[in-house]
Amino acid sequence: MNFSSLSELTDALKARTSEMMTDEPDEIRQFRSGTLENKAGSYGQYFGTWDIAAGMVRDYSMYTMYPILQLAENPRLDHEQFRAVLEALDPPYSNYLRYSGFPQMGEYAAALRSLIGRNQSRDEVIQAMRAYVAYTNRMAAWSFHYFPWGLGKHFQYAEPDVAPPDISDLKRRVRIKNGQPIRLTWQPLGVSVKAVLATNENPELCEDLLRALPFTILQDHAVVTGESMYAWTPVVSTAPIRVRERICDAPRGRLRYSQSTGQKLIVQYGPTTEDLAQPVLGEVLEPDAARLAAVGRKVWESTYETKERIWLTVEAA
């Protein structure tokens, strides 16, 4: 792929990301089905290739490209300093991913590095980085969905039915005040619930989300935290966060938003075990929150075993 300008690359990334909102990328299908042309993988197996690539694309989108975007938006960092950071951190990821199933991503990354520095404005650089972050996030979303999480049935705790210690502290729970109403709908489950956004608690974050509505995204389930679902949004928010809440303290129906792990909208439907604090986005209203458990179980089955696509639509109410 040849691009004559950074803006041309930005447009191409946006178009490709838009296509991937509902269609699985060929790169994901090929490496999960063992049809990579270069047959990357020792002794004829490709699970090692799949496992490592899935972990790397996750870390690349969440913990490399997103922080680099934040640096691009930081006025204290000049153009040359930003280029040096990008050149140092990007190639180890994008070059390996190019080899192990993401050739198009490798080409986009190489174009990004080569084009940044040709007398662009800071805004042009930021827009290109935002487009690339959105693209890598979408790749990570599809990669997560199709990873064989069902292998977890072979790695269970000795007493899987015994609940972990309760570390919640209800005094730390955040109360939402007069939030902006939205609606969440899961298809083909036919379940729709009412919710409110934390427009008073995290106004800038909520504004970023509201500007993007409506959107439809592939719903998946957490595999570590507990009874939570999440989905990668088309939003790329670097908004300041005013209010956070420990995941374990949150009520049933809590909506969270994780900028730093791929721009995920998270819906908690039951007990969780993680004590990390995350940005509060809102909450599903009672009695609708009582309907979330049934959705959560279906989403768990989809993520863990069946890979049936369940779609979440978020829209203004």
Side-chain angles (χ1 to χ4, degrees), residues 267-288:
V267 182
Q268 183 167 325
Y269 68 88
T272 56
T273 57
E274 202 165 346
D275 61 359
L276 301 179
Q278 289 289 330
V280 174
L281 183 67
E283 62 189 7
V284 175
L285 300 174
E286 293 288 354
D288 283 0

Side-chain angles (χ1 to χ4, degrees), residues 236-251:
V236 178
S237 174
T238 55
I241 302 302
R242 315 291 179 182
V243 177
R244 297 177 184 269
E245 178 182 59
R246 292 198 314 169
I247 297 170
C248 59
D249 298 331

Side-chain angles (χ1 to χ4, degrees), residues 90-134:
D90 172 72
Y93 279 100
S94 62
N95 195 39
Y96 179 83
L97 289 169
R98 173 198 56 77
Y99 162 74
S100 63
F102 295 89
Q104 188 176 63
M105 180 183 290
E107 292 183 34
Y108 281 139
L112 185 68
R113 296 195 311 272
S114 67
L115 289 168
I116 285 179
R118 298 185 185 178
N119 301 314
Q120 300 97 352
S121 67
R122 178 179 290 272
D123 184 65
E124 286 177 302
V125 172
I126 291 171
Q127 293 309 311
M129 285 302 308
R130 282 180 164 269
Y132 192 63
V133 167

Side-chain angles (χ1 to χ4, degrees), residues 147-162:
F147 192 78
W149 299 110
L151 291 172
K153 68 182 69 172
H154 302 294
F155 302 92
Q156 291 200 321
Y157 290 105
E159 297 180 306
D161 296 328
V162 176

Side-chain angles (χ1 to χ4, degrees), residues 204-236:
E204 297 90 348
L205 175 64
C206 291
E207 182 58 33
D208 282 349
L209 187 84
L210 285 166
R211 278 199 298 268
L213 297 184
F215 55 74
T216 298
I217 47 183
L218 187 63
Q219 180 73 77
D220 273 302
H221 197 288
V223 294
V224 175
T225 302
E227 295 184 6
S228 283
M229 304 176 281
Y230 49 57
W232 280 254
T233 75
V235 180
V236 178

Side-chain angles (χ1 to χ4, degrees), residues 70-82 122:
Q70 291 176 304
L71 291 174
E73 294 184 346
N74 189 335
R76 293 177 294 178
L77 204 71
D78 66 34
H79 205 67
E80 288 305 312
Q81 289 172 322
F82 172 74
R122 178 179 290 272

